Structure formats: C-alpha cells, structure tokens
Amino acid sequence: MALIPTVYARRVGVLASAAALAALASLVNAPTAAAAPPTPMSASAARAYLATVTPKTEGSTSGYSRDLFPHWSTVSGTCNTRETVLKRDGVNVVQDSACAAVSGSWYSAYDGATWTAASDLDIDHVVPLAEAWRSGASSWTTSKRQQFANDLTRPQLIAVTDNVNQAKGDLDPGKWMPPRTAYRCTYARMWVNVKQYWGLSMDSGEKTALVNVLNGC
C-alpha cells in the first residue's frame, strides 16, 4: 500500500506511482483466461429475435431422461465433447493419452472462480437438456438430441464451477442467472442464440427475464 505523502509537492508523483502499482496488481490478479465458447449473437440481434417470440406454456418432463440426449460424443481419437471443451476453455491444459485433462487452469465465467483441477468443473449445457425437452426436444429424434447435447458450434457448452452448475440445474433465465452479474448479458445472448437455432420455445417468465437483461446490455 502506498504511504500517504506529507509533502503536497510529492502527492501527484506518489499517487501516480500508486495508480501504476494498482494497475499492475490488477493485471497480476486478473483471471488468466475466460472460457471461450463460440461468440453468441449480439444483444441487438437477440432483442430483435425476442420481439418475434410468442411465449408458449412449457411442456412437462414426462418421459424425459438424460439418456435420450446421448453425451459426451467422441470428437476425435480418444477425445470426447467434455474433454474438448475443457481443452478449449482452459489455459495450459495438459491431457493424458486418454485425452483426460490432468493439469491446467480454468476461469469460471459464471462465478469468477479459477480452478486448477478439472474435477472442479462441469460442462454446462447453457440451455439444459430437460429445459430443451420441455420446450420442443421431446419430439426430436435421438440423433437430433445427441447433436444438441454435444453442440460445439453454438454457444451451448461452457466449463464452469461444478456446484454453480448444479445450483442452476434445469432452470431457465426466469429462475436462474449466473451469480456473476457481469456475465449475464453474455449468458442471455448465448441462451437466445441456442434457442433460436434449435427452434425451441420460450415461456413468458423466461422471455421477460431475457428482455430485461438484454435491455441493459
């Protein structure tokens, strides 16, 4: 911490030095990297799409099972979707011969935590599988549900703190948003992007919450 100057003539120089040190500290303490799913649609595009959405009462989870959304699929060699996302979203990630991440660093954009063990991370489906089921995926083929559950092209998968993901469960934005408020605009854009691409419906509470967030972006 910089000492409080006793001579006014030195104050400007001392404060400038303190500011420089603070800036350096912020760089040192900043997350090494944030998760990097595909860039979602812009806030303006998301708002424009929401303006066309007619809310629909959500369906039930009758008949739902995670097994109806096969994951994690093999991407290449021994690497499946989970390990591919861990590699993509981490820094200096080292994988073993089975493609499992054995070291690295991961910054969870949902809560701002940084982890160095892959076991502390879940791969979140931004639009949860059960939510997709209730909003249209119940009528899909298993092949299409598998594509959805392993979608690396849209901003649907992201490495985040495991217990934060578990707290989210299958809730939509009307009931849950990332605790790190700085990420909510991005999260809303991701959600809308995924729902638009896959043609999934939205209920009124979900749409209202998204509109409210995106109006502030």
Side-chain angles (χ1 to χ4, degrees):
M1 180 181 296
L3 296 176
I4 299 174
T6 56
V7 180
Y8 179 80
R10 295 178 57 202
R11 180 172 297 170
V12 173
V14 171
L15 290 178
S17 297
L21 288 172
L24 178 60
S26 69
L27 289 173
V28 171
N29 295 323
T32 52
T39 303
M41 63 168 56
S42 66
S44 60
R47 287 192 295 268
Y49 175 70
L50 286 172
T52 72
V53 172
T54 299
K56 181 179 178 181
T57 301
E58 200 167 71
S60 74
T61 52
S62 176
Y64 167 73
S65 167
R66 287 180 66 85
D67 293 339
L68 294 173
F69 293 79
H71 62 289
W72 303 107
S73 297
T74 299
V75 175
S76 65
T78 58
C79 298
N80 64 20
T81 311
R82 172 182 165 82
E83 299 303 338
T84 299
V85 175
L86 284 172
K87 176 73 171 178
R88 182 197 71 190
D89 289 359
V91 175
N92 298 325
V93 177
V94 175
Q95 297 171 306
D96 64 17
S97 59
C99 204
V102 294
S103 65
S105 176
W106 292 268
Y107 175 72
S108 169
Y110 283 5
D111 59 332
T114 298
W115 304 99
T116 55
S119 58
D120 288 319
L121 297 146
D122 279 353
I123 306 305
D124 181 41
H125 288 95
V126 172
V127 174
L129 305 183
E131 164 66 20
W133 178 271
R134 295 190 296 262
S135 54
S138 59
S139 65
W140 293 352
T141 62
T142 300
S143 176
K144 184 172 180 178
R145 287 192 289 264
Q146 181 174 12
Q147 292 172 41
F148 174 82
N150 297 276
D151 188 359
L152 291 166
T153 305
R154 264 62 54 181
Q156 163 67 342
L157 300 170
I158 183 172
V160 295
T161 302
D162 53 4
N163 60 359
V164 173
N165 181 51
Q166 290 152 24
K168 170 185 172 179
D170 64 354
L171 301 178
D172 69 35
K175 304 177 182 70
W176 188 92
M177 290 292 284
R180 180 171 162 256
T181 57
Y183 199 68
R184 290 182 180 178
C185 278
T186 301
Y187 183 79
R189 291 161 52 208
M190 293 165 76
W191 183 282
V192 175
N193 199 157
V194 172
K195 281 233 163 170
Q196 180 212 40
Y197 178 82
W198 289 98
L200 295 169
S201 64
M202 297 186 187
D203 63 37
S204 59
E206 174 187 355
K207 177 181 176 179
T208 297
L210 289 165
V211 168
N212 288 341
V213 170
L214 289 165
N215 280 343
C217 297

